[in-house]
Amino acid sequence: MNPQEGVWSLVKRDIGDLAAAGLGQITRAVKRRLKQIQYRPDLVDGCLASTSLIADG
């Protein structure tokens, strides 16, 4: 699993029930959620932890 798959999983979970009126609304929701994830290092670390990309040291 790649770390970006974990990030997209978080995004899809958050906007899964969105009844969007159009593509613009979906785009704004995705951008907003990605911005929120960016400022949550614990979420990003969780996505990395599910891969073998974390180096000890």
Side-chain angles (χ1 to χ4, degrees):
M1 183 169 172
N2 296 319
Q4 68 266 24
E5 291 174 9
V7 171
W8 285 115
S9 175
L10 292 170
V11 171
K12 289 188 292 186
R13 186 177 349 154
D14 188 54
I15 67 168
D17 292 331
L18 177 68
L23 184 58
Q25 188 177 8
I26 295 170
T27 302
R28 285 188 299 277
V30 168
K31 286 181 178 181
R32 182 174 47 250
R33 184 60 179 140
L34 287 172
K35 179 77 98 180
Q36 291 169 344
I37 292 169
Q38 178 182 358
Y39 292 105
R40 294 278 312 271
D42 57 314
L43 293 177
V44 175
D45 288 345
C47 293
L48 286 170
S50 67
T51 70
S52 59
L53 298 176
I54 297 206
D56 293 331

